[in-house]
Amino acid sequence: MNDKGFSRDEAVEFLIKTTVYEALMDEGTELYSESREAVLDILKEELAGNPYRLLEV
């Protein structure tokens, strides 16, 4: 939220459109069991143009 200057609602809408969110909702990836910091790092990688970090989890 802070990095992008989003409100909470805007941040949620943004997150829902990411591959990270899709992976969080997929129980098979078990991304939901990672720490908040780890998920945020993966999201930052996706936003930087490297969504392949998800494959390492």
Side-chain angles (χ1 to χ4, degrees), residues 15-27 29 31:
L15 178 63
I16 289 172
K17 297 175 186 173
T18 65
T19 304
V20 170
Y21 181 80
E22 186 177 326
L24 281 168
M25 296 297 108
D26 180 357
E27 290 183 20
T29 67
L31 184 59

Side-chain angles (χ1 to χ4, degrees), residues 1-55:
M1 283 175 25
N2 295 335
D3 290 349
K4 296 282 187 186
F6 288 159
S7 69
R8 185 179 181 108
D9 290 342
E10 290 169 327
V12 169
E13 288 178 32
F14 181 82
L15 178 63
I16 289 172
K17 297 175 186 173
T18 65
T19 304
V20 170
Y21 181 80
E22 186 177 326
L24 281 168
M25 296 297 108
D26 180 357
E27 290 183 20
T29 67
E30 296 186 2
L31 184 59
Y32 60 84
S33 66
E34 296 293 324
S35 70
R36 177 178 25 181
E37 292 79 14
V39 173
L40 182 56
D41 286 345
I42 295 168
L43 178 60
K44 287 179 181 179
E45 288 285 330
E46 178 180 346
L47 297 178
N50 185 14
Y52 305 105
R53 174 86 192 282
L54 284 172
L55 300 176

